[in-house]
Amino acid sequence: MKILLTGHSGFIGGWLCAAAVKNGHELTCIDRNPASENPLLDQLNVKKMQFTEYNTCLRDLEHVAELIDRTQPQIIIHAAAQALIPVAFRAPYETFLDNSLSTLNI
């Protein structure tokens, strides 16, 4: 199955990435941060597995639409979010804008 996963550099996204790859799915990941920034993926040996990774901001509608069109996923799992409470307190407007536009674009 062709899966598009957002947020694979985060905690939940990292586990979803590992599960999808280990179960033989064709996985494409979109995240602002590369997989190399998630130590969980090291522990799960995900970096040695095959998946396609795009580092882009999900607020970029044109790029997101082009990636969805190019990859033609059967399922989209949207796990990307700015979920860190201290960051949200410091920048509530940017957090809301980031999370809402990312979801809207997907």
Side-chain angles (χ1 to χ4, degrees), residues 18-96:
V21 171
K22 287 182 181 181
N23 285 299
H25 297 289
E26 184 180 333
L27 183 63
T28 301
C29 297
I30 302 175
D31 202 305
R32 182 181 327 186
N33 303 314
S36 61
E37 292 185 15
N38 185 347
L40 173 64
L41 296 179
D42 277 335
Q43 294 173 349
L44 298 173
N45 291 320
V46 170
K47 292 179 190 175
K48 295 182 174 88
M49 300 177 191
Q50 294 294 326
F51 64 94
T52 304
E53 177 180 45
Y54 295 97
N55 299 114
T56 191
C57 180
L58 293 172
R59 288 169 59 175
D60 182 349
L61 176 59
E62 287 183 31
H63 197 209
V64 169
E66 189 270 325
L67 288 174
I68 291 172
D69 188 51
R70 182 187 319 159
T71 60
Q72 294 292 301
Q74 295 167 287
I75 293 176
I76 297 176
I77 302 171
H78 180 46
Q82 192 308 98
L84 300 173
I85 301 302
V87 174
F89 280 152
R90 284 192 307 272
Y93 180 81
E94 290 79 8
T95 297
F96 181 80

